[in-house]
Amino acid sequence: MTSTETTEPTEKAVAARMSTLDRFLPVWIGAAMIVGLLAGRFVPGLNTALNSLHVTSGVSLPIFVGLLVMMYPVLAKVRYDRLDTVTSDKRLLVSSLLLNWIAGPAVMFALAWTFLPDLPEYRTGLIIVGLARCIAMVIVWNDLACGDREAAAVLVALNSVFQVLAFAGLGWFYLAVLPGWLGLDTAGLDISAWSIARSVLIFLGIPLVAGYLSRRLGESAKGRSWYENRLLPKIGPFTLYGLLFTIVVLFALQGEAITSNPWDVVRIALPLLIYFAAMWAGSFALGKGIGLGYERSTTLAFTAAGNNFELAIAVAIATFGVTSGQALAGVVGPLIEVPVLVALVYVSLAARKRFAPEPTAPQSQ
């Protein structure tokens, strides 16, 4: 126990802390993509069957189930009574809010218009990805990189609440208002703020309420120790099960578009690659520059660089249709984000020696 407190984590140590499912996450995601593509191409009537299942108009039942299963365990982990641990750190809080809700959407907006000026559906999909701030997988990346787990959880909670309140308005601004101010062509783009808001409320609001109530009721009935040491380990893996299921369904629905237009996928992937790398590097450097330690600089970087592609996909599907170009752009998101952020876990660990020891670290002889 003491050795883990006094030695910095290595790549082997990080791998040892990961479950088999976590350790081979890129492999499982790649396999899910392949299974989805093959199913969509070769299983007769699958697309028709998937498209016919709806929770309500424009809201796919399989996608809803997959996203609920994926997001609920993450939001059930958040300690909603510990907001003050981050709100008291003004540098971290202000930096995170600015990076997530000012810089991130603006950077993606600029990249989308720079790389996809002639492809409005894909461009709109990328902008939606930029608006969906990360609230799920960031906890995995942050934990593997030995970031501040409590700070990550609180920032996830704040992003969750802020997304419910602000996503629709920001979507309307970046998709309809700002392009008009800049004289950009938005012909044929019909954005309903209510459609976006409805998607956010369904795909984020429901698991957020469920996660909050689970913690409140679970801790009240059996205590925090039971909740975190017995219940959470049991439901935690369902995040990745839900992710893999959702990817299979999405790639089954988008298989025709992906295999028929590989160059379009490359064009979508390039700005995403630049976005994830630039946001992470800039945020990590900012954390160090304003005097945050390694753990909170890492948390700041991953929460700013990651995006909630689950929500982005859900909004794109509900607003524009399950086989739309906007949905395809959202599907390409995890294809790029997962391997890039896994690689950045190791970049973080390699950069750790550039930081002074954490002030709260235990003194050792």
Side-chain angles (χ1 to χ4, degrees):
M1 183 70 69
T2 55
S3 63
T4 60
E5 294 174 348
T6 57
T7 57
E8 291 191 357
T10 64
E11 293 187 9
K12 287 184 178 180
V14 170
R17 294 169 56 220
M18 300 167 69
S19 67
T20 301
L21 191 62
D22 289 335
R23 193 178 306 138
F24 297 102
L25 180 60
V27 176
W28 308 138
I29 289 180
M33 292 173 179
I34 293 172
V35 169
L37 286 173
L38 293 176
R41 294 284 291 194
F42 299 111
V43 177
L46 179 61
N47 282 18
T48 302
L50 291 174
N51 279 322
S52 66
L53 300 173
H54 295 284
V55 177
T56 183
S57 177
V59 178
S60 166
L61 176 59
I63 300 296
F64 171 76
V65 171
L67 293 180
L68 181 60
V69 170
M70 179 183 152
M71 297 173 70
Y72 163 70
V74 173
L75 294 169
K77 291 180 181 179
V78 175
R79 292 183 175 182
Y80 295 93
D81 61 340
R82 298 277 182 94
L83 291 176
D84 60 320
T85 63
V86 171
T87 55
S88 61
D89 188 340
K90 302 304 182 192
R91 294 171 302 171
L92 177 64
L93 180 63
V94 172
S95 298
S96 179
L97 290 175
L98 289 176
L99 287 167
N100 273 286
W101 298 103
I102 303 297
V107 169
M108 188 67 89
F109 176 87
L111 288 171
W113 275 96
T114 299
F115 286 90
L116 302 169
D118 57 328
L119 296 171
E121 289 192 1
Y122 298 152
R123 184 178 66 234
T124 298
L126 282 188
I127 293 172
I128 291 174
V129 170
L131 293 172
R133 311 314 302 163
C134 194
I135 66 163
M137 295 305 294
V138 66
I139 291 178
V140 176
W141 317 135
N142 179 76
D143 202 44
L144 295 178
C146 300
D148 187 322
R149 182 181 296 172
E150 194 65 43
V154 174
L155 291 179
V156 161
L158 291 176
N159 273 344
S160 301
V161 173
F162 207 91
Q163 269 186 133
V164 172
L165 298 175
F167 189 98
L170 287 173
W172 175 71
F173 174 76
Y174 275 102
L175 294 173
V177 176
L178 184 58
W181 288 355
L182 298 177
L184 301 173
D185 180 22
T186 58
L189 181 60
D190 181 19
I191 298 297
S192 167
W194 164 242
S195 295
I196 296 176
R198 183 189 63 172
S199 301
V200 174
L201 290 172
I202 291 174
F203 290 102
L204 178 57
I206 291 175
L208 177 61
V209 171
Y212 174 78
L213 291 177
S214 293
R215 179 169 283 278
R216 286 294 301 270
L217 298 176
E219 289 187 359
S220 297
K222 299 214 172 184
R224 174 161 290 184
S225 177
W226 173 87
Y227 183 84
E228 296 194 340
N229 298 321
R230 299 288 297 278
L231 180 62
L232 289 183
K234 290 182 179 179
I235 66 175
F238 284 92
T239 290
L240 297 183
Y241 300 152
L243 171 63
L244 296 176
F245 171 79
T246 303
I247 288 174
V248 169
V249 173
L250 288 168
F251 273 76
L253 292 169
Q254 290 283 355
E256 184 73 30
I258 292 172
T259 55
S260 300
N261 304 288
W263 176 241
D264 287 353
V265 174
V266 172
R267 289 191 62 184
I268 296 169
L270 183 57
L272 283 168
L273 179 62
I274 296 171
Y275 172 85
F276 293 128
M279 286 297 296
W280 185 91
S283 303
F284 193 78
L286 175 63
K288 190 175 190 306
I290 63 177
L292 298 178
Y294 168 80
E295 292 186 352
R296 292 204 163 180
S297 293
T298 298
T299 299
L300 181 67
F302 279 102
T303 52
N307 282 81
N308 184 4
F309 55 80
E310 310 87 2
L311 178 62
I313 291 168
V315 170
I317 289 173
T319 307
F320 300 101
V322 73
T323 58
S324 64
Q326 290 87 345
L328 175 60
V331 170
V332 176
L335 178 67
I336 305 302
E337 178 174 352
V338 171
V340 169
L341 293 189
V342 167
L344 289 173
V345 167
Y346 295 102
V347 175
S348 295
L349 295 173
R352 187 171 189 171
K353 58 182 174 290
R354 297 181 178 274
F355 287 78
E358 298 286 337
T360 55
Q363 298 297 320
S364 58
Q365 197 66 9

